[in-house]
Amino acid sequence: MAVITYREALNQALAEEMERDPDVFLMGEEVGVYNGAYKVSKGLLEKFGEMRVVDTPITELGFAGLGVGAAMTGVRPVIEFMTWNFAILAFDQIFNSAAKMRSMSGGQFKMPITFRGPTGAALQLAAQHSQALESQVAHYPGVKVVVPGTPADAKGLLKAAIRDDDPVCVFEGEMLYNLKGEVPEDDDFIIPLGVADLKRQGSDVSIITHGKMIHVALQAAAQLEKNGIDAEVLDLRSLRPLDTDAILATVAKTNRVVLLEEGWAFGGITATIAALIQEEAFDHLDAPVLRVTQADVPMPYAKAMERAAKPSVEMVIQKVNQVLYR
Amino acid sequence: MADENTQDIAHAEDQAPEAAVQEAAPDREAMTAEKPALSDEERLQGLEPDKLRKMMYDMLLARRFEEKVAEAYALGKIGGFCHLYIGQEAVAVGAIHAQTPDDYVMTAYREHVHALQCGVTPGAVMAELYGRADGCSKGKGGSMHMFDAEKNYLGGHGIVGGQIPLALGVAWKIKYRQEERVIQVYCGEAAVNQGAFHESLNMAALWKVPMILIVENNRFGMGTAWERASSLYDIYQKATAYAMPSAVADGMDVLDMYRVTKEAVDRARAGGGPTLIEARTYRFVGHSMSDPVSGVYRTKEDVEKEKGNDPIRIFADLLARQNILSQEELEQMDEEVKRVSEESADFAEKSPEPAVDELYTEIYATEDVNGRLYFDGRR
């Protein structure tokens, strides 16, 4: 298998799906001439032309809605948001139109659209550019939400998203684009939506997380190993549908859980999973479920404050020790 | 016009609320100043008598159908919000007659007539209003969300202005697939103050997509008079900011709607891109069934005066003058549409309630590998 970056994996996924299906097109700010703000679409304009790699004005609501209308009538748009932070302007179209079209039409319209872009904090981008918003989007039945954490997952999940007949929102880790990893070269390499992945087997405690945070979890697990603690890391990969079976299985296996997400605790993904575990697996628990999330504040700019606001390896280790009563 | 406007606004601010209501509706003659003075023959545009009679039939059906809807709503047969189109029939009927069934139509929440005009059967529209299984959205959409994919009727959408980007997307698809179709999208005048309108107009004009945006200016966004909501009175002028062709149509005159829309449709089909049409019309009823016809934001006298411009009466008089449809034939037609409306209510009445098991269907197109789509575990 070739070792490529997360960015290249996404680029391959787009190129392969556009090659395979002439109905697939990419639209967004800077995707064409500029080759993508994060260079995910590099070379695609040259390869597919300007009807299929479309630079838009800076109008998130407008071009997101354009994608939804186009998808209603049979083509398969991939809508790139320069970042999900800007997609907030388009949430009406995602929540009120894309998520509900099939339902409110009594099943008459498919919605084969993919919304994608980077999410989460980068380095000192401050309050408006450092938000992990997947929990908000996953709130809505009718959409699917995936959060790839590795290059292979990025390719397999994006290809699955493009081929899916429902609206799929792909949250790419803004700090992951340069991450390298082995990625299958098969044109039909697909990772099914709704299937979690055990990124690390373990027996003492389960760290359940997604996206960029799997790397925080894996680093924590590596350090915990030195102290004789064998942590399991479950990467959800897909938030909607959620692999509840995999969550309950790891809880039953280790009996101790630390939940980790980049976003805020209030109404967050980890809040939902904690409730699920309490409802479905209470008898398996040997300790309360604990969470690590972003501080409940808008992201500050100053370096030290930013570091303090983000979930860290140290915080995960501390919570693991707590559920192990160490 | 701009000066008059400024004066109106200044004037309104100085008045007590009761007087502001009086000032809210400008003179209709001023509103339709752009309409050319045409002879009867010119107004008829060489249209076949059969087509003219069909337009008459469609407007009458729209009126009688919605009167039936109002009755059923009053009896509690229909729930939720219910926005009637009474008074505005000439707009959808005239405009949709200017395109073919292969073209698309999309609109907002005041949509029963657009659905009918696209060929959704009265029974399916009424059953949807009743929330029944035979409704055009199987009872899941209701008054504001009617759809019929086969009729290219892309629905009613409930967020003000939210449908305009969607229609832009349909127009984009037409261009992407190199089809010879157009889409008509409707919004109310209040929607043009939304960002969605401006973002869409810019892209539609930039990319010359075949979208015809018809702004149904009935003068009130719910209970707020247009001149109290917009800094610019003439909506059609907003298109000039996007170098887009635009026109004003008399929304109380089905033939003027047809004429203006046909020109836009022909231009779009020829690759000439989008058009903004401002249809100046008036609703004879409240914003929705919960809003009184008059009293709060417009006077009874205003409404009565506008009813003198009933689009059905205006068109019927013309057809009678031109010996295309006699008074007697009109009365027969009226009996016929009343019967169709009654039958649609009977159909809705007899249609079953949707099975509650259908709650979890038709939300996602594809199951995931483990059949795990819904979080609440109830399925």
Side-chain angles (χ1 to χ4, degrees):
Chain A
M1 273 190 287
V3 174
I4 59 172
T5 63
Y6 188 92
R7 167 187 290 114
E8 287 161 344
L10 292 164
N11 180 275
Q12 274 185 11
L14 286 167
E16 286 173 14
E17 293 309 300
M18 289 177 76
E19 194 76 60
R20 190 180 66 83
D21 183 351
D23 278 338
V24 177
F25 64 92
L26 176 68
M27 178 175 270
E29 294 154 5
E30 311 283 6
V31 298
V33 174
Y34 195 78
N35 275 318
Y38 291 87
K39 303 295 172 217
V40 170
S41 56
K42 192 174 179 186
L44 297 181
L45 173 64
E46 202 181 338
K47 198 165 182 190
F48 296 104
E50 58 185 17
M51 271 311 278
R52 300 190 63 197
V53 181
V54 188
D55 282 325
T56 64
I58 300 176
T59 50
E60 281 78 10
L61 186 162
F63 67 75
L66 185 160
V68 176
M72 255 183 112
T73 44
V75 289
R76 309 184 81 87
V78 179
I79 300 297
E80 175 175 310
F81 295 118
M82 195 181 289
T83 94
W84 274 97
N85 294 290
F86 306 159
I88 295 171
L89 289 154
F91 277 0
D92 173 57
Q93 291 297 335
I94 300 172
F95 300 162
N96 271 320
S97 295
K100 295 165 186 168
M101 202 69 73
R102 185 173 180 81
S103 164
M104 66 189 183
S105 69
Q108 293 183 69
F109 293 94
K110 285 186 202 165
M111 191 49 64
I113 187 168
T114 303
F115 299 103
R116 48 158 291 270
T119 183
L123 297 172
Q124 290 191 275
L125 297 184
Q128 293 180 338
H129 287 70
S130 292
Q131 304 176 95
L133 297 168
E134 54 267 26
S135 64
Q136 290 190 40
V137 178
H139 189 60
Y140 285 79
V143 296
K144 295 176 178 173
V145 176
V146 297
V147 194
T150 66
D153 288 350
K155 182 171 178 183
L157 289 170
L158 179 55
K159 283 170 73 79
I162 294 170
R163 293 187 193 190
D164 202 90
D165 280 339
D166 291 314
V168 186
C169 299
V170 183
F171 285 80
E172 300 160 8
E174 183 159 340
M175 293 299 285
L176 296 180
Y177 285 122
N178 286 327
L179 180 78
K180 285 190 173 170
E182 288 192 337
V183 177
E185 280 155 283
D186 174 11
D187 276 0
D188 283 323
F189 167 60
I190 293 283
I191 293 174
L193 308 179
V195 180
D197 184 41
L198 268 186
K199 288 286 190 282
R200 188 183 196 279
Q201 303 264 359
S203 55
D204 294 335
V205 59
S206 299
I207 305 172
I208 302 175
T209 187
H210 64 268
K212 188 169 81 182
M213 288 297 113
I214 66 167
H215 303 287
V216 172
L218 288 169
Q219 281 173 45
Q223 291 191 31
L224 287 163
E225 193 177 10
K226 292 175 194 156
N227 298 330
I229 297 168
D230 186 18
E232 179 148 295
V233 175
L234 180 69
D235 175 7
L236 296 169
R237 290 201 296 205
S238 173
L239 303 178
R240 236 188 211 280
L242 185 68
D243 193 345
T244 49
D245 300 352
I247 294 169
L248 299 176
T250 189
V251 176
K253 181 178 171 189
T254 67
N255 315 115
R256 294 167 201 274
V257 183
V258 171
L259 304 175
L260 166 63
E261 76 176 304
E262 190 177 5
W264 293 295
F266 196 104
I269 297 295
T270 49
T272 300
I273 295 170
L276 171 82
I277 293 170
Q278 187 275 136
E279 286 167 358
E280 305 278 331
F282 184 73
D283 291 345
H284 288 289
L285 290 176
D286 288 340
V289 174
L290 296 183
R291 299 200 276 161
V292 178
T293 66
Q294 196 208 307
D296 194 29
V297 298
M299 186 63 81
Y301 166 74
K303 214 170 194 172
M305 284 169 80
E306 184 191 56
R307 196 181 306 120
K310 289 183 191 176
S312 68
V313 172
E314 294 69 34
M315 288 156 114
V316 175
I317 290 170
Q318 191 225 321
K319 296 292 181 187
V320 166
N321 284 325
Q322 218 174 318
V323 298
L324 286 159
Y325 300 114
R326 290 211 175 189
Chain B
M1 187 65 96
D3 286 343
E4 276 174 37
N5 231 351
T6 315
Q7 282 166 12
D8 279 348
I9 291 164
H11 190 50
E13 279 170 354
D14 292 337
Q15 302 294 316
E18 299 77 28
V21 170
Q22 296 282 353
E23 291 297 319
D27 197 47
R28 185 170 176 277
E29 278 68 55
M31 287 177 68
T32 53
E34 292 80 2
K35 185 183 171 186
L38 300 173
S39 68
D40 278 359
E41 285 72 18
E42 285 168 320
R43 289 175 67 196
L44 292 171
Q45 302 158 72
L47 288 166
E48 294 293 322
D50 279 354
K51 176 139 179 157
L52 293 164
R53 283 193 284 265
K54 180 68 167 58
M55 288 163 114
M56 187 72 236
Y57 177 91
D58 289 344
M59 283 209 289
L60 261 187
L61 174 63
R63 177 71 57 91
R64 296 305 185 198
F65 180 87
E66 291 223 316
E67 286 170 356
K68 189 70 201 168
V69 170
E71 189 186 312
Y73 193 92
L75 292 170
K77 307 270 187 190
I78 295 170
F81 292 139
C82 186
H83 312 86
L84 300 182
Y85 202 61
I86 291 172
Q88 302 184 208
E89 295 90 346
V91 181
V93 172
I96 296 173
H97 266 279
Q99 63 180 34
T100 75
D102 199 38
D103 297 319
Y104 295 101
V105 170
M106 185 183 277
T107 187
Y109 44 79
R110 195 180 304 284
E111 58 154 338
H112 314 150
V113 174
H114 304 80
L116 292 174
Q117 197 56 40
C118 287
V120 187
T121 64
V125 175
M126 193 66 87
E128 189 59 36
L129 288 164
Y130 275 57
R132 300 298 170 92
D134 295 306
C136 58
S137 300
K138 298 189 188 171
K140 287 183 176 174
S143 172
M144 296 190 283
H145 309 302
M146 297 186 172
F147 292 86
D148 192 330
E150 281 182 18
K151 305 285 186 195
N152 293 315
Y153 179 59
L154 303 179
H157 299 265
I159 307 297
V160 170
Q163 74 279 17
I164 308 171
L166 302 179
L168 169 70
V170 177
W172 169 266
K173 186 271 316 197
I174 293 169
K175 188 172 173 177
Y176 189 84
R177 290 227 173 124
Q178 299 178 315
E179 297 168 345
E180 287 177 4
R181 297 160 127 176
V182 303
I183 176 165
Q184 275 183 24
V185 56
Y186 294 80
C187 66
E189 86 287 334
V192 315
N193 288 329
Q194 286 274 11
F197 168 89
H198 295 275
E199 296 184 20
S200 301
L201 254 62
N202 179 54
M203 282 186 272
L206 181 69
W207 295 329
K208 281 205 174 343
V209 294
M211 177 174 94
I212 294 141
L213 175 57
I214 298 171
V215 181
E216 299 184 318
N217 180 1
N218 66 19
R219 297 198 227 162
F220 298 97
M222 250 184 87
T224 302
W226 175 239
E227 54 273 30
R228 295 179 60 226
S230 176
S231 61
L232 176 70
Y233 189 83
D234 294 309
I235 291 165
Y236 72 96
Q237 288 184 4
K238 292 190 185 251
T240 60
Y242 304 102
M244 184 192 291
S246 68
V248 180
D250 182 350
M252 304 309 257
D253 178 350
V254 69
L255 291 170
D256 200 49
M257 279 310 306
Y258 177 87
R259 176 183 68 82
V260 174
T261 312
K262 185 74 168 54
E263 193 182 313
V265 168
D266 290 347
R267 176 165 50 242
R269 267 199 233 292
T275 302
L276 172 70
I277 297 171
E278 178 184 354
R280 291 184 174 174
T281 184
Y282 198 81
R283 63 172 150 74
F284 295 165
V285 291
H287 166 74
S288 70
M289 288 300 292
S290 60
D291 174 38
V293 172
S294 61
V296 182
Y297 55 88
R298 57 185 188 180
T299 63
K300 193 164 184 278
E301 293 69 37
D302 283 338
V303 179
E304 287 308 314
K305 185 180 162 225
E306 292 298 332
K307 281 185 176 175
N309 293 314
D310 189 316
I312 291 176
R313 177 45 55 198
I314 290 170
F315 191 43
D317 287 349
L318 172 63
L319 295 185
R321 273 201 307 277
Q322 294 295 313
N323 297 317
I324 295 165
L325 189 74
S326 68
Q327 183 63 29
E328 195 184 23
E329 288 168 313
L330 180 69
E331 279 165 22
Q332 280 172 10
M333 196 181 266
D334 199 29
E335 290 307 311
E336 165 73 7
V337 295
K338 281 180 184 164
R339 186 181 59 76
V340 170
S341 303
E342 285 294 332
E343 284 173 2
S344 73
D346 293 343
F347 175 81
E349 203 76 54
K350 288 183 188 125
S351 174
E353 300 266 356
V356 175
D357 291 354
E358 295 290 311
L359 177 63
Y360 281 94
T361 62
E362 291 155 352
I363 293 164
Y364 292 100
T366 50
E367 292 284 316
D368 87 317
V369 285
N370 300 310
R372 194 194 301 108
L373 283 172
Y374 303 96
F375 180 72
D376 60 15
R378 278 197 283 163
R379 182 168 178 265

